[in-house]
Amino acid sequence: MFSASGLRSIYSVSSADGSLTLHCLECPQVSFPPLPLTSPSFSPFGVPTVDEWRDLWAAWDLVTLGMIPQEMLHQKPIDLRHKCLFYIGHIPTFLDMLMSKALKEPNTEPKNFTLIFERGIDPHVDDPEHCHGHSEVPEKDEEWPSLGSILAFRDRVRTRLLKLYGDLRNGSRKLNRHIARMLAMTHEHEGWHVETLLYMLIQRAGTGTLPPPGFAVPHWEALAEQWDAIAPPNTPTITIGPARITLGHDDCEGDDFSSDVAEIIDGHAFGWDNESPARVVEVKQVKMEWRPVTNAEFFTFYKDSKEAGLPANWIEDEDGIKVRTVYGPVSMAIAQHWPVLTSYDALLAYATSKGGRLPTEPELRLFFDIYGVGHWGGANVGFRNWHPVPATTGREEFGGHGSNGGIWEWTSTLFSNHEGLFPTNHFPGYSTDFFDGKHHVVLGASYATIPRLAERRTVRNFYQHNYPYAWVGARVVYDVLDV
């Protein structure tokens, strides 16, 4: 109800007998309403509406123009990515290039922006010289386009997009699946980058990055008291499987020009190339921990282990170890119940120390299918908060259903090719460039994942196993031995 009204709860207090809850609400500068429900003639993962674009632009502009001070534009918050200014230019350039390609029209001026801003970088963590094809960016700060010129370009591209929507409405241009996919892909691409830019900026929160304007600063102590009172799961683990589940959906880009489907758009769910086609897999019986590993649990492991390094989402100062947020670091006492965010390698070491392992993609997908609640059910996605919260799964009174706290989760499944995958022509190399034996599939959604990506069950994200910055945690699973 709050999300549908453009409101968010910043703090709540329950009465002693639990009969009522008093919420303190705010009307934030950015909000994402719940997605409409799917029907045979409608999919919330079809062509994004103009309102959806405007909501996304509000989030992007808030992050890029409200949280990055002028002196940080030419800085790299992390070494393995470009400077901040690149991403402000990349988003409109990507949208413009894909529109031009799909509509067979020239690029928006200045056309040379494609040389600088076409594609970012994801170099190998252990060998940064090894990287997929990407744009060649200027070496000197003064050789970059100015922020003003980039924003003027952004506005022209957005105007071009809105004109396209107008042409589709008045019938001067006919919508087909090729154009529809381009619109869905460019929208979600911007959604991905809101989140990835934020996990970069959080590394400088308190030393450069500004807190999100238009949002109340959390009342950390009061929230921590509330989080301390959240009941643990009734049992540490839940047994799931054996089961047969379907991964992915049928959405082959190669069929977009087929006369059978080219104009069938209503009710179709668009996705990325690695989501298609649908495939049935078997899941063996396993025991899975109800909730992801918390900061407190990993902190104990970190103190006792000689191998575990300090997670990049933690920071140590004279007051001890703290957890990074966009508002600046907070004490471990405040963030102890949040899921820990760190690399696959670090969490695999933790799971091994507990006698377990990390789940496969089908195992984790099965758990989410049974117990996940999604944005409609109150999950911490779509900027409901600007930080993780404690997970809530595993309580009998709610049938085990709950949120994982607002994070992606690692799987042991390598990101690789599968039968029937048709690589995208809109964005060549989006998936295939990372079938390198280093990237793992991650599932779920973070607090900064837009609902469109958070809610589609076929979405697969991917990161290198030793990449420490992404907002990814994990839960431990235990094999059930055959009797």
Side-chain angles (χ1 to χ4, degrees):
M1 180 177 66
F2 295 154
S3 293
S5 304
L7 302 170
R8 64 183 288 265
S9 176
I10 58 176
Y11 182 65
S12 61
V13 181
S14 297
S15 60
D17 61 1
S19 61
L20 62 87
T21 302
L22 179 67
H23 290 270
C24 179
L25 303 176
E26 72 172 353
C27 185
Q29 190 169 325
V30 170
S31 66
F32 290 90
L35 295 179
L37 298 178
T38 301
S39 71
S41 61
F42 174 80
S43 169
F45 313 114
V47 178
T49 66
V50 170
D51 284 343
E52 287 180 288
W53 276 104
R54 293 192 188 281
D55 287 341
L56 181 57
W57 289 341
W60 179 253
D61 292 349
L62 180 144
V63 172
T64 55
L65 303 181
M67 298 179 65
I68 304 175
Q70 188 77 20
E71 59 270 20
M72 275 187 64
L73 289 175
H74 287 282
Q75 296 176 8
K76 293 183 179 182
I78 61 177
D79 290 335
L80 299 172
R81 294 294 184 267
H82 281 310
K83 61 175 61 179
C84 296
L85 188 65
F86 171 86
Y87 298 97
I88 301 176
H90 171 61
I91 289 300
T93 301
F94 183 90
L95 171 57
D96 191 61
M97 290 180 64
L98 266 65
M99 274 199 292
S100 295
K101 186 176 181 180
L103 303 177
K104 296 181 171 57
E105 295 177 349
N107 291 335
T108 301
E109 294 289 349
K111 294 184 177 63
N112 70 333
F113 273 17
T114 61
L115 303 177
I116 303 173
F117 297 119
E118 178 179 1
R119 195 175 186 193
I121 57 173
D122 180 13
H124 289 182
V125 174
D126 45 11
D127 181 13
E129 296 300 316
H130 189 288
C131 189
H132 59 82
H134 56 86
S135 304
E136 294 299 327
V137 299
E139 293 184 4
K140 298 179 180 179
D141 292 352
E142 59 269 22
E143 294 173 346
W144 283 77
S146 68
L147 176 61
S149 67
I150 294 172
L151 295 180
F153 173 75
R154 176 206 67 182
D155 291 344
R156 291 193 293 273
V157 173
R158 289 179 179 178
T159 298
R160 181 186 183 191
L161 178 69
L162 295 177
K163 182 181 182 302
L164 171 59
Y165 273 82
D167 291 344
L168 294 172
R169 281 194 304 271
N170 64 32
S172 59
R173 184 181 289 275
K174 190 173 183 180
L175 182 65
N176 56 39
R177 191 171 284 195
H178 182 62
I179 295 175
R181 185 179 302 279
M182 177 274 294
L183 292 170
M185 183 176 290
T186 51
H187 183 87
E188 293 188 1
H189 171 261
E190 188 162 342
W192 286 125
H193 271 286
V194 173
E195 180 174 347
T196 58
L197 183 56
L198 278 169
Y199 78 60
M200 293 166 53
L201 293 176
I202 204 172
Q203 295 294 316
R204 291 289 309 280
T207 61
T209 302
L210 303 174
F215 285 80
V217 176
H219 298 268
W220 293 120
E221 287 72 20
L223 287 169
E225 184 177 344
Q226 194 173 352
W227 294 332
D228 287 344
I230 293 177
N234 291 93
T235 58
T237 62
I238 178 66
T239 300
I240 61 172
R244 176 178 295 178
I245 67 167
T246 299
L247 297 179
H249 63 160
D250 292 320
D251 172 45
C252 179
E253 183 180 316
D255 295 336
D256 285 356
F257 292 103
S258 168
S259 59
D260 296 341
V261 302
E263 297 181 9
I264 300 176
I265 296 156
D266 293 342
H268 183 73
F270 292 95
W272 296 84
D273 54 4
N274 62 72
E275 298 175 45
S276 181
R279 51 214 182 274
V280 176
V281 298
E282 302 287 340
V283 181
K284 293 183 178 181
Q285 188 176 72
V286 295
K287 286 186 176 181
M288 183 174 292
E289 293 197 353
W290 275 112
R291 298 176 183 176
V293 181
T294 66
N295 281 313
E297 291 168 333
F298 195 84
F299 182 62
T300 299
F301 171 70
Y302 169 77
K303 290 189 298 182
D304 296 340
S305 172
K306 295 181 179 179
E307 299 178 3
L310 187 76
N313 280 284
W314 292 1
I315 185 171
E316 188 167 11
D317 62 18
E318 62 274 8
D319 297 321
I321 291 178
K322 297 180 178 179
V323 178
R324 298 182 191 271
T325 80
V326 294
Y327 302 95
V330 299
S331 70
M332 186 63 70
I334 289 171
Q336 61 179 322
H337 302 301
W338 299 354
V340 66
L341 305 174
T342 190
S343 70
Y344 174 89
D345 290 351
L347 283 162
L348 177 60
Y350 175 91
T352 302
S353 75
K354 299 295 182 182
R357 58 178 175 81
L358 299 188
T360 65
E361 179 183 5
E363 289 166 350
L364 187 57
R365 180 69 267 161
L366 176 61
F367 178 87
F368 285 156
D369 285 350
I370 300 172
Y371 297 110
V373 294
H375 192 228
W376 270 98
N380 184 29
V381 300
F383 296 94
R384 280 204 165 113
N385 297 286
W386 287 78
H387 53 80
V389 296
T392 57
T393 40
R395 294 298 303 170
E396 288 181 358
E397 59 265 40
F398 303 116
H401 297 92
S403 163
N404 74 350
I407 63 165
W408 294 92
E409 294 190 35
W410 289 107
T411 77
S412 59
T413 301
L414 286 173
F415 186 58
S416 62
N417 199 1
H418 56 254
E419 185 176 355
L421 185 150
F422 184 91
T424 176
N425 287 317
H426 285 281
F427 184 0
Y430 170 76
S431 294
T432 54
D433 279 353
F434 306 102
F435 295 164
D436 53 13
K438 295 181 178 292
H439 287 74
H440 282 249
V441 174
V442 305
L443 301 180
S446 87
Y447 57 88
T449 307
I450 63 172
R452 182 184 174 104
L453 290 168
E455 293 292 89
R456 190 168 70 246
R457 73 176 291 278
T458 57
V459 165
R460 310 165 80 218
N461 203 348
F462 49 95
Y463 288 107
Q464 292 180 61
H465 63 93
N466 51 356
Y467 188 66
Y469 300 108
W471 291 340
V472 190
R475 66 186 70 225
V476 181
V477 298
Y478 305 89
D479 291 311
V480 175
L481 301 178
D482 295 328
V483 178

